[in-house]
Amino acid sequence: MIVSKLKKQPAILGLVVWFSFMWSWALQTDSLELAGSKKQGTILAIIVLIINVSLSVFIVRKFLSIAKITQEHLDAKFYIPALVVIFAFADYAVGWLNAILWIGPQGRIDSLLPIGSASLLVLRTPFIFSTRFIGLYGLSGFVLTIIYLVSQKKYRALSLAPLLVLSLLSIIGWGFYRHPNGTDFKAKIVSETLVQRVPQIVPKDEALVVFPEYGLEKITNKNVDSRIAMDKNDKSPTYFVGSTQLYTRGRIGHQNRMLSGNTRDGITDFQDKYRLIPGGEDLPYIVRTGLRATGQKNTLDYFSFAKSVIKGPVQLKPVDIGNTISVGVAVCSSIIAPQDYRSFALQGATVFANSASLKPFNGSRLFAWQQQSFGRFMAVANSRYFLQSANSATAYAYDNNGSIIGKISSNDTVSILAKTNGTLTLYTHVGEYFVLLGGLTTTFVIIKQYMRGRYHDKKK
């Protein structure tokens, strides 16, 4: 019955297929081993998948109704721009409401899960340069508007208008911001696992070494030399960043602490991870309620003591490693939080980095593609080089135009030549303003439709 209904509604069927595919890696994560029960983990993953897909489809379907109303009551020169911002808001709403649904005690209400974002369709194309003006969700707004118009024979020709505007924005975005204005420096990125680390790194002329998440596990100033060669007399030391887990006796959970320092002074500073992974580091309220209701206290205790992370009190700040090199570096989950890296750029970061551990995703190629696509967005939208080191995954580096300049997937390191940039793009300055415009436009359409309905009721 459900299948037959979906066949009669190809748009809804397409949405179900799209979101099911984009969230399918949930069936592959190590949550399947939750509390040692693969069966229980599989059931939980299936439930998560169904809920995420259902919620996403429901939201987009509601916005399709709003788009139809807009289309019926506005001239083309008005409704095409209106559709773009409405769909930008729709894409944001999907990512935000999915995150709110799975929020836990350590969660933040500004977190997003843009796993099914329409922008992922084109972030690997030249259209990505338009994000320097319109952001991630502005790009989604254009993509969804084009798809929406193409799907209607009557309006198909009109799809050329947003396509041409998007193309023009992409060309201008590439032309305005393609040349970074800073200085060259060498950096090294690392790909390893928790149990098989790369040998001690002996810097040559690298200014920065980026270790993966947990790459500095159990490392202090007493043994930091085991990870990177130290030289107390070095006048031009190599800087490094990475993270470790910090357990405090009597405290439930642990801190994921980002460490930074250099080869002359050792570890000099730390910041605690600010944004956590729902379900991976912070068990959602909805799951906690379900576990308590079904009497699975052991599972809840296992997560609380073994996996839960205590979030840091403040947003991360860039790490300065020289007069012109300021590194906006975050640990793992900020890769799906564009606002974190935009914040880094506004705080003066001239290059971006990320230390990740992707072991929980068990080598999912789909999630790796999504994760790398978001990394490319951070690089291009803010016009910054982006350096990614990874635990149990590929390490890579993008230049400010989104070209791969270094990549390693084995237990190894690779040196890359990076360049700083202090230029701020329009997106960096103003953020996702298409979402704000979409919210205002959506509200206006809903109120106008409501008032129109009341007017017709009175006439009757």
Side-chain angles (χ1 to χ4, degrees):
M1 183 177 177
I2 295 176
V3 175
S4 62
K5 283 186 177 181
L6 287 176
K7 286 182 178 179
K8 294 177 182 179
Q9 301 182 64
I12 305 304
L13 178 60
L15 290 171
V16 171
V17 172
W18 168 254
F19 287 117
S20 296
F21 172 70
M22 296 302 281
W23 280 100
S24 61
W25 50 259
L27 301 174
Q28 197 173 333
T29 67
D30 68 357
S31 64
L32 302 185
E33 305 294 339
L34 185 65
S37 172
K38 188 170 183 178
K39 180 180 179 180
Q40 178 176 279
T42 302
I43 293 172
L44 179 60
I46 292 173
I47 292 173
V48 168
L49 179 63
I50 292 173
I51 291 175
N52 287 348
V53 172
S54 300
L55 177 61
S56 300
V57 172
F58 174 80
I59 295 169
V60 176
R61 188 173 182 179
K62 290 299 180 184
F63 276 94
L64 286 173
S65 299
I66 294 171
K68 186 176 180 180
I69 294 170
T70 305
Q71 199 172 7
E72 290 173 349
H73 298 290
L74 291 177
D75 294 331
K77 61 182 178 181
F78 295 116
Y79 79 66
I80 291 180
L83 288 179
V84 172
V85 295
I86 286 172
F87 281 130
F89 183 55
D91 201 54
Y92 178 88
V94 171
W96 184 70
L97 289 173
N98 269 297
I100 289 297
L101 177 66
W102 300 108
I103 197 169
Q106 302 288 322
R108 301 196 59 85
I109 62 171
D110 66 337
S111 291
L112 299 167
L113 288 174
I115 301 303
S117 175
S119 59
L120 286 165
L121 287 168
V122 292
L123 285 179
R124 299 301 184 99
T125 74
F127 288 128
I128 192 174
F129 293 110
S130 67
T131 62
R132 289 169 169 170
F133 295 117
I134 62 177
L136 184 74
Y137 297 102
L139 178 59
S140 295
F142 273 95
V143 171
L144 289 171
T145 297
I146 292 168
I147 294 173
Y148 178 76
L149 293 174
V150 167
S151 68
Q152 303 172 80
K153 189 175 182 179
K154 181 180 177 181
Y155 299 101
R156 195 164 293 166
L158 294 176
S159 64
L160 287 174
L163 180 60
L164 289 173
V165 172
L166 184 61
S167 300
L168 182 61
L169 288 172
S170 301
I171 293 170
I172 297 174
W174 174 79
F176 272 31
Y177 300 107
R178 71 183 186 276
H179 295 305
N181 63 4
T183 57
D184 294 333
F185 71 96
K186 284 188 177 181
K188 190 182 289 289
I189 54 176
V190 180
S191 174
E192 61 184 9
T193 68
L194 284 174
V195 296
Q196 188 178 9
R197 289 179 167 179
V198 300
Q200 180 202 50
I201 293 175
V202 181
K204 295 181 180 179
D205 51 357
E206 291 93 357
L208 174 68
V209 174
V210 182
F211 286 101
E213 186 174 17
Y214 311 129
L216 298 177
E217 186 74 2
K218 297 181 180 180
I219 297 298
T220 67
N221 277 329
K222 293 181 179 180
N223 63 352
V224 66
D225 192 71
S226 65
R227 293 257 62 193
I228 185 168
M230 303 293 289
D231 184 352
K232 300 290 185 182
N233 300 313
D234 192 353
K235 294 182 179 180
S236 300
T238 295
Y239 287 77
F240 58 85
V241 293
S243 87
T244 184
Q245 298 177 93
L246 180 67
Y247 290 87
T248 303
R249 181 174 295 181
R251 194 173 185 184
I252 296 175
H254 64 277
Q255 292 158 291
N256 190 336
R257 179 158 289 181
M258 189 183 76
L259 304 176
S260 57
N262 62 72
T263 53
R264 182 185 59 209
D265 306 309
I267 298 168
T268 58
D269 200 9
F270 69 88
Q271 301 181 66
D272 289 331
K273 190 172 183 179
Y274 172 78
R275 196 174 300 279
L276 308 184
I277 302 170
E281 297 171 319
D282 183 34
L283 197 63
Y285 287 117
I286 189 173
V287 177
R288 291 172 181 271
T289 302
L291 292 175
R292 289 193 182 100
T294 54
Q296 299 182 64
K297 186 178 181 299
N298 289 340
T299 299
L300 183 57
D301 290 343
Y302 166 79
F303 184 94
S304 298
F305 285 97
K307 292 193 172 186
S308 65
V309 175
I310 303 166
K311 71 177 179 182
V314 295
Q315 174 63 286
L316 299 177
K317 297 180 180 179
V319 177
D320 293 331
I321 65 171
N323 293 331
T324 61
I325 307 176
S326 180
V327 188
V329 57
V331 180
C332 195
S333 53
S334 286
I335 195 70
I336 58 172
Q339 65 270 35
D340 288 0
Y341 281 93
R342 176 175 164 261
S343 173
F344 283 144
L346 289 173
Q347 293 179 72
T350 55
V351 64
F352 292 159
N354 186 272
S355 296
S357 176
L358 302 186
K359 187 177 184 300
F361 299 96
N362 288 327
S364 168
R365 291 185 179 182
L366 173 60
F367 186 81
W369 169 75
Q370 292 170 332
Q371 197 259 12
Q372 291 175 31
S373 295
F374 286 122
R376 191 170 192 256
F377 167 77
M378 310 300 187
V380 175
N382 297 282
S383 193
R384 297 289 189 276
Y385 277 64
F386 186 94
L387 317 179
Q388 168 82 75
S389 284
N391 182 353
S392 301
T394 299
Y396 60 87
Y398 287 118
D399 69 11
N400 67 305
N401 292 311
S403 297
I404 286 282
I405 57 172
K407 192 173 184 178
I408 188 77
S409 56
S410 59
N411 198 60
D412 207 348
T413 66
V414 61
S415 292
I416 54 100
L417 182 64
K419 192 167 187 174
T420 61
N421 190 20
T423 301
L424 300 181
T425 66
L426 177 65
Y427 162 75
T428 307
H429 276 296
V430 300
E432 298 286 353
Y433 63 97
F434 267 58
V435 173
L436 176 60
L437 293 175
L440 294 173
T441 304
T442 300
T443 302
F444 172 76
V445 171
I446 292 173
I447 293 175
K448 192 170 183 179
Q449 180 69 7
Y450 173 75
M451 297 302 292
R452 185 181 290 112
R454 286 182 59 109
Y455 173 75
H456 287 306
D457 289 342
K458 286 182 178 179
K459 286 190 69 175
K460 290 179 182 180

